[in-house]
Amino acid sequence: MTDPKNFRIKSFGCQMNVYDGERMAELLAAKGMKQAADGEDADLVVLNTCHIREKAAEKAYSDIGRLKREDGSRPMVALAGCVAQAEGEVAQQRSKAIDIVVGPQAYHRLPELVGEAASGKRPVDTDMPAISKFDAMPARTRVGPSAFLTVAEGCDKFCTYCVVPYTRGAEISRPWSDIVAEAQSLTERGAREITLLGQNVSAWRGEDEKGREGGLELLIRRLARIDGLERIRYTTSHPADMDEGLIAAHGEVEKLMPYLHLPVQAGSDRILKAMNRHHTAESYLKLIERFRAARPDLAISGDFIVGFPGETDAEFEETLAIVDAVGYASAYSFKYSPRPGTPAAEMEDQVSTHVMDERLQRLQARLAEHSLAFNRSKIGQIFPILIDRRGKKPGQMIGKSPWLQSVFVESDAAIGDMVEVTIEQALPNSLGGRLREMVDA
Ligand code: SAH
Ligand code: SF4
Ligand code: F3S
């Protein structure tokens, strides 16, 4: 295999996985490699995988089969991301076509590993080094109007169904100065919105320039002082470690958007306990109340799992009840997927696929009612949207509302513009608006 000249990266996972994909692209570009154009063959394909559910994990392998070219040759393949971390060398036994295996804490070594693979080796690196990979990373280059910024990695919560503590390792916070510098550099390169990422972002702790210790609230207040940065978001939070300061920030920091992704997973206290969630349905609802007192127009989004081992019909009804009590603006819901090495996979009373299908369908119908109601509540309102892509129709642009809804508008605005719209139409997953005025370009 020769040294690859161009590459393609496919990301399959969460926002942090997408962020990692961007950083890997920057690393390879810094070594002189080019990103392959659409339709062009790439010499190196990086599959940036997700291990969270079986379906997500299997997708990577089915993709490898499709990489063979018409002449029988194939690109150099790097398996990156959480499947790489979980499977290590076993991945290369499963598929001969995998040249490189690189975990999410080791990808700063990707260029080196590519060199080794070009000389005929099949390197595997799933180390979780004490020295942060971020220190070895080039400056940010690939920036859109809305950028991700990883501030905390790993997770110490050990929900019994979840692989993240194993694939991403222990919780670590990136240092304050690194984060501020990256946010500044993203803003200088055109980002107007930054989403702070962490598997458990609300656990971020650090020290500011003056050595004062604090949590996410302190960081958000500092980032809000960056000129040109107009919107700040963060995800994902855990209900057990949201503090008073962060709640207050939602009422006080104008740039902090009125949107909170706060997964609850289930509505039954017995199931929450079996999931090791460290909160009850009631403590969760009380927390939401406090957030809404600070910021009445806050949109809440959540994650749900149906069919956790042992979940009865009555317990599933409690999930529907919490959905009604909160009135989610949006949500992600999943069928429980047993993951190797997690405690829940060993539990008795696994729920049948048939029952899970039925529960998921009912849950999603209920969630859709709530998101449509939330979207409808915006009809007639006027607010700024951040244009982030082109629509399918000529002259149509799509932007994000403060509540993270996609808003379709006819406009000659450019990507990255903030425009003011009057909302005229609400659909289950989007809004339609009319341009009111250009706020600024
Ligand atoms: N750190 C975040 C995200 C974790 S993964 C959090 O704590 O919320 C995103 C979502 O995937 C989880 O919130 C959960 O709803 C879902 N998920 C995780 N493991 C799963 C599994 N084994 N089966 C089904 N869904 C799962
Ligand atoms: Fe997984 Fe729970 Fe950690 Fe979220 S908090 S990443 S669901 S273990
Ligand atoms: Fe998937 Fe890893 Fe993210 S398992 S959800 S890519 S942290």
Side-chain angles (χ1 to χ4, degrees):
M1 212 160 262
T2 53
D3 274 324
K5 304 223 163 13
N6 66 351
F7 66 89
R8 170 168 298 121
I9 298 184
K10 284 188 75 175
S11 292
F12 296 91
C14 60
Q15 288 145 317
M16 189 176 290
N17 173 267
V18 171
Y19 173 87
D20 293 343
E22 289 170 6
R23 301 308 309 260
M24 285 190 272
E26 287 165 341
L27 267 168
L28 296 173
K31 297 283 172 205
M33 291 176 64
K34 294 229 162 0
Q35 187 133 347
D38 280 345
E40 188 188 3
D41 273 346
D43 304 331
L44 165 68
V45 173
V46 180
L47 299 171
N48 189 22
T49 58
C50 174
H51 198 55
I52 202 83
R53 285 167 291 274
E54 194 182 350
K55 249 197 199 149
E58 288 308 318
K59 217 165 156 189
Y61 287 100
S62 62
D63 250 52
I64 294 171
R66 277 189 241 117
L67 291 174
K68 217 175 201 167
R69 304 186 186 116
E70 273 174 22
D71 65 1
S73 67
R74 62 168 185 86
M76 182 188 285
V77 175
L79 189 78
C82 291
V83 173
Q85 188 65 40
E87 299 196 344
E89 317 171 325
V90 175
Q92 285 179 331
Q93 288 157 17
R94 272 183 76 175
S95 170
K96 294 271 168 290
I98 298 172
D99 303 290
I100 299 166
V101 176
V102 61
Q105 304 307 348
Y107 65 71
H108 55 291
R109 290 199 57 233
L110 181 59
E112 230 174 289
L113 302 175
V114 168
E116 287 177 26
S119 68
K121 296 195 188 114
R122 299 180 80 206
V124 175
D125 192 343
T126 53
D127 283 354
M128 296 199 176
I131 303 200
S132 164
K133 67 182 175 229
F134 295 107
D135 294 344
M137 220 82 80
R140 301 304 315 262
T141 50
R142 299 155 45 80
V143 176
S146 178
F148 291 140
L149 201 180
T150 292
V151 303
E153 276 199 278
C155 183
D156 294 342
K157 289 281 186 288
F158 289 94
C159 300
T160 52
Y161 50 81
C162 183
V163 291
V164 171
Y166 313 99
T167 63
R168 290 272 171 180
E171 222 160 72
I172 46 156
S173 297
R174 280 181 76 189
W176 171 276
S177 53
D178 286 18
I179 298 168
V180 175
E182 191 170 329
Q184 215 121 29
S185 126
L186 285 168
T187 309
E188 280 157 20
R189 285 168 175 77
R192 304 185 79 175
E193 171 176 280
I194 291 182
T195 304
L196 307 176
L197 299 181
Q199 284 310 331
N200 187 9
V201 74
S202 43
W204 185 88
R205 302 284 309 165
E207 272 179 19
D208 70 3
E209 291 97 345
K210 298 195 180 102
R212 275 178 307 202
E213 230 215 278
L216 193 62
E217 172 217 357
L218 197 67
L219 187 62
I220 288 171
R221 289 185 192 271
R222 170 64 186 86
L223 298 181
R225 299 210 319 262
I226 297 178
D227 278 340
L229 177 61
E230 289 166 51
R231 292 177 163 191
I232 301 171
R233 303 179 185 277
Y234 62 91
T235 198
T236 297
S237 311
H238 192 287
D241 41 40
M242 307 297 275
D243 62 29
E244 224 32 76
L246 188 59
I247 297 175
H250 273 275
E252 293 163 11
V253 180
E254 213 179 310
K255 291 182 181 180
L256 183 59
M257 289 293 102
Y259 183 94
L260 177 66
H261 184 62
L262 195 62
V264 66
Q265 315 296 358
S268 142
D269 287 343
R270 193 189 72 85
I271 295 293
L272 287 171
K273 190 142 195 270
M275 287 177 162
N276 193 31
R277 285 292 295 178
H278 302 285
H279 60 82
T280 61
E282 193 190 330
S283 71
Y284 177 85
L285 288 172
K286 285 238 162 78
L287 183 61
I288 301 261
E289 247 171 57
R290 280 157 63 208
F291 270 99
R292 282 186 166 148
R295 180 83 203 219
D297 68 341
L298 192 72
I300 311 284
S301 101
D303 289 344
F304 296 90
I305 296 175
V306 300
F308 184 82
E311 185 186 66
T312 64
D313 284 338
E315 284 163 342
F316 169 66
E317 293 296 329
E318 292 182 76
T319 296
L320 295 177
I322 209 162
V323 165
D324 290 340
V326 173
Y328 289 90
S330 69
Y332 300 91
S333 47
F334 313 98
K335 281 185 274 185
Y336 167 72
S337 168
R339 306 305 292 130
T342 60
E346 309 296 319
M347 290 178 187
E348 285 169 17
D349 300 331
Q350 299 279 329
V351 175
S352 76
T353 312
H354 163 75
V355 170
M356 283 203 264
D357 281 335
E358 207 177 65
R359 287 182 190 166
L360 187 66
Q361 215 172 21
R362 283 185 64 202
L363 174 60
Q364 290 186 337
R366 192 69 65 91
L367 289 166
E369 282 173 28
H370 286 288
S371 49
L372 184 59
F374 180 78
N375 288 348
R376 283 199 175 128
S377 74
K378 300 294 173 206
I379 290 179
Q381 287 190 18
I382 298 164
F383 47 75
I385 65 169
L386 177 59
I387 301 288
D388 60 7
R389 64 208 146 102
R390 256 166 253 292
K392 285 209 180 94
K393 295 184 196 155
Q396 190 184 53
M397 299 301 285
I398 308 172
K400 284 278 170 354
S401 80
W403 304 275
L404 215 56
Q405 297 143 302
S406 288
V407 184
F408 289 75
V409 63
E410 230 168 81
S411 163
D412 54 8
I415 289 173
D417 286 349
M418 190 82 86
V419 298
E420 198 133 287
V421 293
T422 308
I423 300 305
E424 295 178 321
Q425 199 191 7
L427 297 164
N429 294 310
S430 61
L431 300 173
R434 185 163 36 84
L435 194 63
R436 185 150 176 272
E437 62 182 75
M438 205 79 157
V439 179
D440 59 83

